[in-house]
């Protein structure tokens, strides 16, 4: 059943609070009682066992699927600051080994830079997309930004150069 505020709330059903939080479970005398789940507007949820409106045990799950643990919490510690969805999708932690989010990394033509939407050639000052089609001519500001921040066609950090 669906309860409304004018009814006595008793038994199993669904109820929407004024905050748009939804409860699906059992109630007794107008209070959460027994098994029930709170679904929050941000897409997180709390599944619990309730006794006269008080949660006796339960589990909170964030919108991205991460389950909260108050003990042995191994998420977002000092060594690995990735979001849970980044961990699930294979994004590597930051560091010298993390030159790109792609695995394997995209092959960049030698002497060019990967500028996010294509390759930039410093000699021609042209950006082409990843299918090698013209995108734009880079102005001075974009040229400086690409050289300063983007990954080059060979790994300058480790000195690795592909065979020519």
């Amino acid at each position: 059943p669906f309860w409304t505020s004018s009814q006595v709330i008793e038994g199993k059903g669904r109820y929407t609070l004024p905050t748009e939080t939804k409860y699906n479970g059992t109630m007794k005398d107008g209070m959460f009682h027994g098994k029930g789940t709170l679904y929050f507007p941000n897409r997180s949820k709390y599944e619990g066992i309730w006794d006269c409106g008080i949660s006796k045990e339960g589990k909170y799950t964030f919108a991205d699927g991460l389950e909260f643990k108050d003990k042995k919490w191994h998420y977002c510690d000092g060594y690995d600051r990735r979001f849970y969805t980044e961990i699930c999708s294979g994004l590597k932690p930051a560091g010298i080994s993390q030159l790109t989010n792609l695995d394997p990394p995209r092959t960049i033509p030698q002497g060019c830079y990967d500028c996010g939407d294509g390759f930039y050639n410093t000699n021609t000052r042209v950006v082409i997309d990843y299918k090698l089609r013209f995108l734009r001519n880079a102005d001075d500001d974009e040229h400086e930004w690409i050289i300063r921040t983007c990954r080059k066609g060979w790994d300058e950090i480790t000195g690795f150069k592909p065979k020519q």
Side-chain angles (χ1 to χ4, degrees):
F2 294 90
W3 296 300
T4 64
S5 59
S6 63
Q7 296 175 315
V8 175
I9 301 175
E10 192 86 19
K12 187 172 176 152
R14 291 181 275 188
Y15 181 76
T16 302
L17 289 87
T19 61
E20 295 301 315
T21 298
K22 295 175 172 55
Y23 176 77
N24 189 356
T26 56
M27 295 188 76
K28 180 180 178 183
D29 197 26
M31 294 180 280
F32 302 161
H33 190 79
K35 287 185 179 181
T37 304
L38 285 169
Y39 296 93
F40 299 99
N42 68 358
R43 298 187 347 255
S44 63
K45 67 180 178 179
Y46 180 82
E47 301 169 273
I49 307 283
W50 308 84
D51 184 22
C52 297
I54 298 172
S55 174
K56 294 300 182 179
E57 63 180 85
K59 169 176 80 170
Y60 181 83
T61 305
F62 294 92
D64 61 7
L66 174 66
E67 293 179 6
F68 175 77
K69 294 178 184 171
D70 59 351
K71 294 180 178 79
K72 296 183 181 178
W73 181 256
H74 296 293
Y75 167 70
C76 205
D77 59 21
Y79 301 102
D80 189 345
R81 304 297 292 176
R82 293 176 292 170
F83 289 105
Y84 181 68
T85 51
E86 294 171 335
I87 293 168
C88 292
S89 65
L91 180 68
K92 297 176 188 172
I96 202 162
S97 66
Q98 181 62 34
L99 300 174
T100 178
N101 292 340
L102 299 176
D103 192 15
R106 179 180 287 120
T107 301
I108 304 169
Q110 189 167 356
C112 293
Y113 290 82
D114 184 345
C115 61
D117 61 349
F119 302 121
Y120 176 66
N121 183 316
T122 57
N123 294 328
T124 62
R125 295 180 73 128
V126 169
V127 177
I128 56 175
D129 69 14
Y130 297 124
K131 293 182 179 180
L132 308 180
R133 298 176 300 204
F134 176 84
L135 283 179
R136 66 184 172 278
N137 292 310
D139 63 16
D140 291 341
D141 289 337
E142 185 177 25
H143 172 84
E144 294 300 321
W145 178 85
I146 290 171
I147 291 172
R148 189 176 64 252
T149 61
C150 296
R151 193 167 70 94
K152 195 170 182 181
W154 57 273
D155 185 344
E156 293 174 326
I157 294 173
T158 63
F160 172 76
K161 287 186 181 182
K163 291 183 180 180
Q164 300 187 16

